[in-house]
Amino acid sequence: MLLERTMKSVAEQVYPYYEHIIMDGCSSDRTVSVAQEYAEKDKRIIVHSEKDSGLYDAMNKALNLATGDYIVFLNAGDKLFNEATLEDIAGKLKYGNKPSVVYGYTDIVDNMGIFLHPRRLQPPRDLTWRSFKWGMLVCHQAFYARADLAKKTPYDTTYKYSADVDWCIRIMKTGEADGVKTLNTGLTLCDYLDGGMTTAHQWESLKERFRIMTRHYGIATTLLMHGWFCIKAAGRAINRQIKKKIKHKKKSSNKK
């Protein structure tokens, strides 16, 4: 079960000062029972199951329940990179210094949790809200937002597929307005499960991202960047077709 992979990665953390909130939308599978099995053994785990109006509504509910200094969202199947991830992040935070966002790198894994490749988009050395005009350079699984900023900047639930992009930008905008910078750990922080809701609804997600980009960066920048994204996407598609043809030719040659 994908949820169990995620819960195990959190339970194995050597850093003890965390809470793990499981949000469930009254699912009919074993989600709640599996989560409760872990919760019975660990008081840091909070299982909450009730109807919601979608993924981002559930994430807002988790925000309201959170009591820690920073919050990160993991989907079922995602996992913290290794057992020292939270300890490594804590070690990067200097006493009295509370960046608006602590971030890092991401690896992509398959359904079995096997490494596929590093995430294509890579975080810059110094991340600001302006950085995301180049795309979502840090996925939310490697984006640790300061909880007080996150609570006053909830997810915009009018977006069904890309509210995480908007949320990350607004968190960084809020931090910058308060004179607070972000912190690059320089570390790989999570394994991200390939695919997901955004991939399954790619066209709807792209339309939402266009609206989000226009909202934050203006129409001119958005049109320019989307033109560049389309060129890159077309290039990747051509490369995939070339690779398929090469594989097909090799198979045909081997049959002869």
Side-chain angles (χ1 to χ4, degrees), residues 26-222:
C26 293
S27 59
S28 57
D29 58 16
R30 293 183 57 244
T31 296
V32 174
S33 60
V34 168
Q36 286 178 337
E37 287 177 14
Y38 277 83
E40 288 172 4
K41 302 172 186 176
D42 191 339
K43 299 300 181 184
R44 295 171 297 185
I45 299 173
I46 301 165
V47 182
H48 200 79
S49 182
E50 65 178 41
K51 288 185 178 180
D52 55 58
S53 57
L55 173 64
Y56 298 114
D57 179 45
M59 292 165 86
N60 279 338
K61 290 180 179 182
L63 275 177
N64 291 329
L65 291 174
T67 63
D69 293 326
Y70 285 87
I71 187 163
V72 66
F73 289 96
L74 297 173
N75 299 328
D78 301 331
K79 61 187 289 289
L80 299 175
F81 183 64
N82 59 35
E83 67 278 1
T85 296
L86 296 183
E87 185 174 69
D88 289 340
I89 292 171
K92 295 286 183 178
L93 295 172
K94 297 178 182 177
Y95 180 76
N97 177 31
K98 294 184 68 176
S100 59
V101 174
V102 180
Y103 64 98
Y105 297 85
T106 302
D107 281 345
I108 307 299
V109 299
D110 64 14
N111 284 334
M112 300 302 293
I114 298 172
F115 171 81
L116 295 175
H117 53 81
R119 187 169 181 263
R120 182 178 60 81
L121 293 178
Q122 298 287 307
R125 185 180 67 178
D126 298 309
L127 183 73
T128 73
W129 67 270
R130 297 170 187 83
S131 304
F132 273 35
K133 69 182 179 183
W134 299 100
M136 195 170 181
L137 302 183
V138 181
C139 68
H140 72 244
Q141 289 88 341
F143 187 97
Y144 287 67
R146 215 171 74 184
D148 60 331
L149 299 180
K151 285 176 180 290
K152 64 182 182 182
T153 315
Y155 285 89
D156 184 342
T157 56
T158 61
Y159 300 116
K160 292 184 178 181
Y161 307 109
S162 297
D164 51 341
V165 181
D166 173 69
W167 182 74
C168 289
I169 294 170
R170 288 189 294 116
I171 290 286
M172 290 185 287
K173 274 188 171 181
T174 303
E176 184 175 301
D178 291 346
V180 185
K181 294 184 177 181
T182 61
L183 175 65
N184 186 348
T185 64
L187 304 169
T188 300
L189 301 182
C190 72
D191 286 344
Y192 173 71
L193 181 63
D194 191 31
M197 185 174 70
T198 301
T199 302
H201 300 87
Q202 194 168 28
W203 178 242
E204 293 91 339
S205 175
L206 285 173
K207 288 192 291 185
E208 282 192 355
R209 288 192 182 210
F210 187 86
R211 287 167 50 203
I212 291 166
M213 292 273 286
T214 301
R215 173 183 175 184
H216 292 290
Y217 305 115
I219 187 65
T221 297
T222 301

